Amino acid sequence: MGDDLDMARSLADLLRFDPATGDLAAIDPRGTPGLPKAAREDPKVWARAQLPILGGELFAEQEKLVAAAKTAGSRQRVLLLIQAMDCGGKDGTIKHVVGEFNPQGVQIVAFGKPTEEELAHDFLWRIEKALPGPGQVGVFNRSHYEDVLTVRVNSLVPARTWRARYNKINKFEAAVVGSGCELIKVMLHISYAEQRGRLSDRLQDPTKYWKYNPSDLDERRKWPAYQDAYNDALVKCSTDAAPWYVVPADRKWYRDWAVATLLLERFRALGLAYPPPDFDLDVERERLAQEAKVNGT
Ligand code: AMP
Ligand code: MG
């Protein structure tokens, strides 16, 4: 299979992490797998031009999801879970891709350091509470994976505790998917050099100071431990029910195109359709016509 979407069945097939053979270190963060031939002349211009087109299609798919929940009592919902190193582009992806949806049907939750109340519960407690309702598109900016990433790297709990979490995560995600939630797990994969550039931007540009946290540099020093922890999470938690997708993310235009395309492919696989009327169309059309006659407009 080539790295070209014209050759592959889908972008999902190209980006899905294979737990048997996958290795995060072997995935090039500057790569652009799946760009079609049409993009070759100027891939950046092409990808940026595609985004609003994909966005229109995502909007329509989301509308069908909402309609099915409203009229047919469907329990279907979609959850996009985003993980990345600091400066990996989580916020930018949400702005550019998730921004294409109707905001009324989107529920975005960012997971930071747990509160005392959250720490008093199981690590999945706050996650379960944040799951999207029927018809909603949920977005997780960070997630329960922090509990096997930053928590592991910084030894915030004993090793036996985080080691037991991969299995718990797999069981939890299988239950979530089983309850009608389409779970799309995306890791935005940036390089060490790209992170430096983005941190540097945050220190040079007064409009970006607020995004910088001195602890980001402390975490950067632990880069190899984080990459190992990410690789383990990808290997141990890439299941049939809930696969992981690794999106090369050094190039923002590719990242946005890839996440939008992946979302659209997964939406389409749901086979959503606008529901038929649950009333008599002819009767209602006639009623409106009569009413208009009476009122003269
Ligand atoms: P930001 O996304 O820049 O707002 O930062 C959120 C911070 O919360 C990051 O440093 C995360 O590593 C941290 N965080 C998120 N979840 C957890 C968790 N379960 N335990 C400890 N730290 C966490
Ligand atoms: Mg941060």
Side-chain angles (χ1 to χ4, degrees), residues 149-247:
L149 293 166
T150 188
V151 168
R152 161 175 161 169
V153 169
N154 291 303
S155 304
L156 300 183
V157 299
R160 66 172 185 284
T161 303
W162 60 254
R163 276 203 199 100
R165 286 179 174 169
Y166 300 101
N167 250 328
K168 292 182 181 176
I169 289 174
N170 287 343
K171 282 193 184 139
F172 170 74
E173 290 181 353
V176 167
V177 171
S179 75
C181 183
E182 188 75 359
L183 177 55
I184 304 163
K185 302 189 293 189
V186 171
M187 187 217 169
L188 306 176
H189 181 42
I190 58 161
S191 64
Y192 189 62
E194 181 68 19
Q195 190 192 51
R196 179 176 191 277
R198 293 185 190 179
L199 283 171
S200 168
D201 286 349
R202 291 181 182 184
L203 290 173
Q204 301 302 325
D205 179 348
T207 70
K208 290 185 177 169
Y209 295 163
W210 65 277
K211 292 190 186 183
Y212 183 82
N213 187 328
S215 74
D216 292 349
L217 260 190
D218 301 317
E219 296 312 297
R220 175 170 167 78
R221 294 210 183 92
K222 303 167 197 160
W223 183 274
Y226 267 107
Q227 296 296 301
D228 282 351
Y230 262 106
N231 195 62
D232 268 3
L234 293 167
V235 168
K236 293 186 202 307
C237 298
S238 288
T239 59
D240 287 342
W244 266 108
Y245 301 97
V246 178
V247 173

Side-chain angles (χ1 to χ4, degrees), residues 23-33 189-191 246-251 254:
D23 174 14
L24 183 60
I27 301 173
D28 179 6
R30 292 187 64 74
T32 57
H189 181 42
I190 58 161
S191 64
V246 178
V247 173
D250 272 12
R251 300 171 201 260
Y254 173 79

Side-chain angles (χ1 to χ4, degrees), residues 86 90 111-114 126 141-143 146-147 150-151 156 226:
D86 288 326
K90 300 186 294 295
F111 293 98
K113 288 196 172 61
R126 65 174 182 165
N141 181 340
R142 303 186 192 267
S143 66
E146 293 292 326
D147 293 281
T150 188
V151 168
L156 300 183
Y226 267 107

Side-chain angles (χ1 to χ4, degrees), residues 51-52 54-56 58-59 62 94-102:
L51 206 52
L54 293 164
L58 283 170
F59 187 96
Q62 178 200 18
I94 290 172
K95 177 174 158 189
H96 290 111
V97 179
V98 178
E100 296 287 341
F101 288 113
N102 181 344

